[in-house]
Amino acid sequence: MITVRFTLFGGVSARTGDRTTEFGPTRPGALLGALLADAGQVVSAEELVDRVLGDAPPPRARAMIQTWLTRLRQTLPGLIERDRDGYVVRVDPLEVDLHLFRHLVEEGRTAEALPLVQGDLLSTVNTSWARQRRADFADELLAARLGHVDERLAGGEHADLVPELHALAAERPLDERIAAQLIEALHGSGRAAEALRHFKVVRARLADELGAEPSRHLATLHRRLQAASAPRQLPAAPKPFTGRALELAELDQAPTGVVVITGTGGVGKTSLAVHWAHQAAERFPDGQLYVNLHGFGPSGAAVSPGDALLRFLSALDVPRAQVPHDLAGQSALLRDALADKRVLMVLDNATDTEQIEPLLPRTPNTHVVITSRTALRPAHAKALPLGLLPPDDARELLASRIGHDRARAEPDAVDTVVRRCARLPLALAVAGARAATQPEFPLAALADELADLDAFADDDDVTADLRSVFSHSCKALSPAALRLFRLLGLIPGSDISLAGAASLAGLAQHETAALLAELARANLIDEPEPGRFTCHDLLRDYAAELALDSERDEALNRFLDHLALTGVEAGVVYTPSRHRPSTPDPAPGVVVGRFGTHEEALAWLMTEHPALMAAMPHGTAAQTWLMGWSLADALDRQARYRDLLTSQQLAAAAVQRLDDVDALGRTLINLGRSLSRTGRPDEATAALRRAFDIYDGNPAGQAEVLLNIAMLCPDDRIGEAMEHTRRGLALFEQCGDEYGQANALTGLAWGHGKLGEYARTVEYAERAMRMWRAMDHLIGQAEAWDNLGTGHLGLGDHVKAVEAFTLSSEMFRLGGDLKLEAGACEQLGDAHAAAGAAEQARQAWQKAVELRTRAGLPADHVRAKLQAEGE
């Protein structure tokens, strides 16, 4: 028996084997759809007239129905039968896509059901009955889709669902179930800040349009995500931690405000602060912020207030675009971000009041704990001086490291070690680690080796003789580990990676990893996060004292080579369109990293950013300028403008010592960009004009400078910007640089749009588009479509404008540029509005508001368009 399968989605059709009959917008097709919609049930003749011919049928409607039934019986014999006063289609309902869809959903097989919906139900039938059935099924379909989304969220498919839910949320901006699903998907895919921002968008939309608050479910989800997204920056709690009961009680009893823990180096200030912070964390449900300010570390390692502020603002999910460039503005923004939050802030190892004052939010519910060797006196702060450990606590700390049974067996030796370590936790930790690695040695032997420390306990400056304890521990190291420890004292930054340490030592990474593990067991270094190593600044100073003159220069040069050459690899992957600089061969033993993706390259650049900044003043001219080149794009896009300027100033000073005109020109371009970012346009222009002169005889270099000068021109100097861009285009054409030509053509298209010369906008955008397509350059194509949309809209061709802005917004989305995607969506709304498509305009503008909010950009002007359209 031949099976006939029917579709009602996207039009009525019948398929027999390989043959498909499409009925299209015909009356027989409408009649068949009217019967199939209730397959197996009798439909009266009157109902068929209403379904097929509408509310006002012609006089001979019944006869017309009979004629169409005859045609259907001829096309599909044996299918339609007369039954009492009506007609019935004799078919298994599961052979009709609509009924199969419902059956699969009821059985919990929604994933199989959804692909059946290939278009609107009965799309070729335009009667009130068909329209109502479509509307009813749309609700049914939405419920099935959302149920399936819940299943997929439960299965962990958060990232895959984000695009689909964004589209659904744009279609139904007031649907709280969709909003909750999108928020959960964003959070589950690691985009917690976007999730919380979307909640704010939905809450504002509900208030503005419905005068309502979010549902209990949505509000509960928001509170759960807020708690999960709160910053938890505290380092691991120190283990073991002993004593300090009085100080812990004082910290517990201190009112919310500022507490400054002061004391000599190695006395345990950080351990006390971090231990108490973990104990008190529940009192601060909105998060705990921590930064090691490295106030007493090596030169260049201290964290600037601005860098610390950026770390805190990032942890609080403040969008980068909202962060001002000046220190006062960043400090004010931190106060705003913490205004209604209960947060604990730990500022560790501060050097002076100037370093910490911009970081103090002075908000009612923010509690700040500061540690410093200096007796800092910020306003209204409580001082908590920290002395040496009491004898009993010092003995307990040593016992916890060497084992209580061993300590009880040799109490006199324990007392001697404690006395000779001056009851300093750092000294006890190092000495205890040495003893723990040699459990077969009597503890008395350790005490005898420390005999030269008798005068130590009565010394006013107890840290001066800590090196004696360190020396004792270093004697137990293998020669290779001791050599690595000495070399670690040379690095200019505060921490180092495994690859960096391997380069420093000139060893393979697996050998270096074993030596680092030996140093960690001796308590001479720490591994605060996987793959990164640091040590107490007193230990670093001691290590530097041990370094041999014969090994200093080569070791430091290898480390700087590692940073410079790995930085170039990261910079090229991060911005593939940049011209790769020429690099020297690495010194023997240097590890040069490689990167597979844009994300890996950016992660390395931002992780090593402090090390690179600290290393630049110590490098050779070539190393310094390569490090500056590596940082330029990443610091610019991450809005680290002060560091961008500093790095390019150092690079510019270094590159002038090289006989490399191209390197000097590129560095001056980067310097000009950094000066413009920091509000110094005249100096930026001067740097770029100098670069132009340096590139004399190099048309591609001069052209790049001209495009950068054009970007400095404000909107009231568009004509001047256009002239620079035209000159740049001519030079790019002269040397055959297609990437440069496409960039220049894109700039000219944009400029003509600004001037209202829309035909020229289209002309230049189409030229640029051909070149971007040939290079398969996504963002370039997106910008060309954006310019084409501007041109077509200005010329009154709304259909082409809508198409162009739609493609532009999609390409910007794929390229991950929220700001440009938001601009394209806004202009898409403008094009729809110009074409009289009010609902489509509203949806596009709403999407633009959402994107601008996610990017931290102001959106009031777009909201004004929505409000005006609503009126």
Side-chain angles (χ1 to χ4, degrees):
M1 180 177 178
I2 298 177
T3 301
V4 184
R5 291 184 170 83
F6 299 91
T7 66
L8 297 181
F9 296 124
V12 180
S13 69
R15 180 163 57 85
T16 307
D18 294 335
R19 180 186 174 190
T20 300
T21 302
E22 300 280 356
F23 289 90
T26 63
R27 297 298 192 185
L31 179 59
L32 178 60
L35 291 167
L36 289 171
D38 293 301
Q41 300 180 36
V42 177
V43 182
S44 68
E46 291 79 4
E47 179 66 17
L48 280 176
V49 169
D50 179 64
R51 292 184 180 189
V52 175
L53 295 171
D55 300 332
R60 297 182 63 253
R62 293 285 291 271
M64 296 167 71
I65 293 291
Q66 287 294 334
T67 300
W68 298 328
L69 281 169
T70 300
R71 292 183 191 173
L72 283 174
R73 287 181 174 132
Q74 292 171 349
T75 304
L76 299 167
L79 183 70
I80 302 172
E81 298 179 2
R82 179 70 184 253
D83 191 319
R84 299 188 302 278
D85 295 328
Y87 300 87
V88 62
V89 60
R90 297 297 183 188
V91 64
D92 181 353
L94 296 186
E95 301 298 339
V96 182
D97 56 0
L98 170 65
H99 304 299
L100 177 60
F101 171 88
R102 289 171 171 160
H103 170 74
L104 292 172
V105 171
E106 287 175 3
E107 288 203 337
R109 298 160 61 188
T110 310
E112 298 175 53
L114 291 172
L116 296 173
V117 184
Q118 300 292 324
D120 290 338
L121 180 66
L122 298 163
S123 61
T124 55
V125 184
N126 192 26
T127 61
S128 58
W129 167 81
R131 290 192 292 272
Q132 186 59 52
R133 291 295 285 262
R134 276 195 290 275
D136 293 343
F137 182 75
D139 293 338
E140 188 179 336
L141 175 62
L142 179 64
R145 286 181 68 184
L146 298 186
H148 187 47
V149 167
D150 284 335
E151 294 172 9
R152 292 175 66 190
L153 286 171
E157 298 182 44
H158 300 92
D160 292 341
L161 282 166
V162 168
E164 177 183 342
L165 288 168
H166 266 312
L168 276 173
E171 294 170 11
R172 306 174 71 90
L174 297 177
D175 190 312
E176 293 189 68
R177 183 180 180 187
I178 294 172
Q181 289 178 330
L182 176 55
I183 289 169
E184 188 170 345
L186 287 167
H187 186 268
S189 55
R191 297 158 67 176
E194 290 181 49
L196 294 172
R197 285 196 290 272
H198 187 66
F199 172 82
K200 293 178 182 178
V201 169
V202 173
R203 181 173 59 189
R205 189 180 294 149
L206 291 169
D208 292 345
E209 300 190 28
L210 301 180
E213 287 294 317
S215 66
R216 178 179 297 178
H217 171 68
L218 194 57
T220 301
L221 174 63
H222 176 242
R223 286 194 296 272
R224 177 167 63 84
L225 295 189
Q226 266 191 318
S229 303
R232 311 289 182 202
Q233 292 189 320
L234 294 177
K239 292 181 181 179
F241 181 86
T242 302
R244 303 300 192 190
L246 292 176
E247 290 84 355
L248 288 169
E250 284 196 55
L251 286 168
D252 279 334
Q253 295 162 12
T256 301
V258 180
V259 176
V260 183
I261 302 173
T262 57
T264 191
V267 80
K269 301 180 294 298
T270 297
S271 293
L272 172 63
V274 173
H275 177 79
W276 177 82
H278 277 281
Q279 287 188 326
E282 291 185 0
R283 292 164 47 184
F284 304 95
D286 295 317
Q288 300 89 45
L289 300 170
Y290 172 89
V291 63
N292 185 345
L293 294 168
H294 294 291
F296 298 91
S299 174
V303 176
S304 69
D307 193 35
L309 282 166
L310 289 176
R311 296 184 196 185
F312 286 165
L313 292 169
S314 176
L316 293 165
D317 289 328
V318 176
R320 178 70 69 181
Q322 286 184 358
V323 179
H325 304 324
D326 63 293
L327 190 63
Q330 292 170 356
S331 185
L333 185 59
L334 179 65
R335 285 195 296 274
D336 291 343
L338 294 175
D340 57 351
K341 290 182 170 63
R342 293 168 61 193
V343 168
L344 172 64
M345 179 186 293
V346 179
L347 306 178
D348 192 18
N349 203 11
T351 182
D352 53 35
T353 303
E354 185 178 345
Q355 188 184 29
I356 63 169
E357 196 61 44
L359 307 177
L360 301 179
R362 309 288 188 187
T363 53
N365 297 316
T366 302
H367 188 56
V368 183
V369 176
I370 303 167
T371 74
S372 179
R373 295 182 202 172
T374 306
L376 303 180
R377 291 286 185 269
H380 309 295
K382 173 181 173 58
L384 181 57
L386 192 64
L388 302 177
L389 273 174
D392 287 345
D393 291 342
R395 282 190 286 269
E396 174 59 26
L397 178 59
L398 181 62
S400 66
R401 290 189 173 276
I402 66 174
H404 286 82
D405 290 342
R406 189 177 180 188
R408 281 192 291 269
E410 297 187 72
D412 292 339
V414 167
D415 288 344
T416 301
V417 173
V418 166
R419 185 180 71 253
R420 292 174 177 169
C421 286
R423 307 200 311 271
L424 282 170
L426 176 61
L428 288 165
V430 174
R434 165 75 190 281
T437 59
Q438 296 175 314
E440 71 281 4
F441 279 27
L443 195 58
L446 170 64
D448 290 342
E449 290 181 9
L450 295 174
D452 59 339
L453 299 179
D454 278 335
F456 185 32
D458 298 323
D459 197 326
D460 290 336
D461 182 11
V462 292
T463 60
D465 285 319
L466 267 173
R467 58 178 54 86
S468 299
V469 180
F470 301 158
S471 173
H472 169 70
S473 284
C474 285
K475 290 176 183 177
L477 296 174
S478 66
L482 177 59
R483 173 177 175 268
L484 178 58
F485 177 65
R486 292 196 304 263
L487 297 180
L488 289 172
L490 302 177
I491 64 172
S494 60
D495 61 359
I496 194 170
S497 66
L498 172 59
S503 299
L504 184 72
L507 299 173
Q509 292 192 66
H510 71 276
E511 293 179 85
T512 308
L515 298 178
L516 289 168
E518 182 180 346
L519 293 175
R521 288 192 297 272
N523 223 69
L524 295 173
I525 65 169
D526 295 314
E527 189 176 4
E529 58 184 275
R532 296 205 71 80
F533 303 89
T534 188
C535 64
H536 195 285
D537 52 78
L538 293 176
L539 279 162
R540 184 194 303 274
D541 291 344
Y542 177 68
E545 290 177 10
L546 297 180
L548 305 176
D549 290 340
S550 59
E551 62 187 3
R552 286 174 179 269
D553 292 344
E554 287 188 3
L556 184 58
N557 183 66
R558 285 193 300 268
F559 176 64
L560 297 174
D561 248 10
H562 159 74
L563 289 177
L565 299 180
T566 304
V568 170
E569 297 301 323
V572 168
V573 174
Y574 181 60
T575 312
S577 59
R578 293 175 81 187
H579 173 73
R580 182 190 187 97
S582 59
T583 54
D585 292 333
V590 171
V591 179
V592 179
R594 299 289 188 269
F595 305 92
T597 66
H598 170 278
E599 290 76 16
E600 290 175 2
L602 177 60
W604 187 91
L605 286 165
M606 297 318 295
T607 298
E608 297 290 355
H609 151 236
L612 287 161
M613 294 295 297
M616 286 185 72
H618 301 275
T620 65
Q623 289 167 338
T624 298
W625 104 260
L626 287 174
M627 285 188 268
W629 182 92
S630 303
L631 285 168
D633 272 18
L635 293 180
D636 189 20
R637 295 182 197 173
Q638 297 294 310
R640 302 288 187 98
Y641 296 138
R642 284 196 304 275
D643 280 353
L644 173 65
L645 178 57
T646 300
S647 66
Q648 300 316 304
Q649 287 172 327
L650 288 169
V655 79
Q656 293 183 77
R657 303 199 302 271
L658 300 174
D659 184 19
D660 191 333
V661 172
D662 184 63
L664 179 57
R666 291 182 183 281
T667 304
L668 287 171
I669 290 173
N670 289 333
L671 178 60
R673 180 171 41 158
S674 63
L675 287 164
S676 70
R677 295 286 194 259
T678 50
R680 297 157 70 172
D682 293 341
E683 293 174 74
T685 301
L688 291 171
R689 292 196 184 281
R690 185 179 170 212
F692 185 85
D693 293 339
I694 285 169
Y695 274 134
D696 185 27
N698 181 340
Q702 289 193 326
E704 186 176 351
V705 173
L706 289 169
L707 263 59
N708 276 272
I709 292 175
M711 287 188 287
L712 292 177
C713 297
D715 284 354
D716 59 357
R717 289 164 52 195
I718 292 294
E720 182 182 337
M722 295 279 282
E723 181 56 32
H724 290 309
T725 307
R726 287 191 193 95
R727 290 177 60 199
L729 175 61
L731 289 170
F732 280 131
E733 289 173 338
Q734 175 185 329
C735 62
D737 187 327
E738 294 191 355
Y739 179 85
Q741 291 174 54
N743 255 333
L745 290 169
T746 299
L748 290 174
W750 176 86
H752 282 297
K754 281 285 188 180
L755 294 172
E757 298 168 353
Y758 299 116
R760 302 298 301 278
T761 296
V762 172
E763 174 192 344
Y764 280 109
E766 286 178 341
R767 287 177 61 187
M769 179 67 80
R770 289 191 291 271
M771 303 188 78
W772 290 129
R773 281 177 172 165
M775 289 181 274
D776 195 25
H777 196 290
L778 180 67
I779 294 298
Q781 292 178 66
E783 291 178 331
W785 278 120
D786 199 61
N787 285 324
L788 282 170
T790 298
H792 290 312
L793 183 59
L795 294 171
D797 193 335
H798 303 141
V799 174
K800 286 186 177 179
V802 165
E803 178 188 10
F805 286 131
T806 300
L807 289 168
S808 175
S809 62
E810 176 63 14
M811 288 183 174
F812 282 135
R813 184 188 69 79
L814 292 173
D817 196 314
L818 284 178
K819 180 179 179 181
L820 293 179
E821 184 188 356
C825 285
E826 179 184 349
Q827 293 182 96
L828 176 59
D830 296 345
H832 278 308
E839 178 57 24
Q840 290 92 328
R842 189 191 68 78
Q843 290 180 10
W845 285 332
Q846 191 64 62
K847 180 69 172 177
V849 169
E850 179 185 328
L851 289 167
R852 292 186 72 85
T853 302
R854 284 168 56 196
L857 300 169
D860 288 346
H861 69 288
V862 189
R863 291 193 182 94
K865 294 180 182 181
L866 282 165
Q867 185 175 359
E869 187 65 34
E871 295 171 353

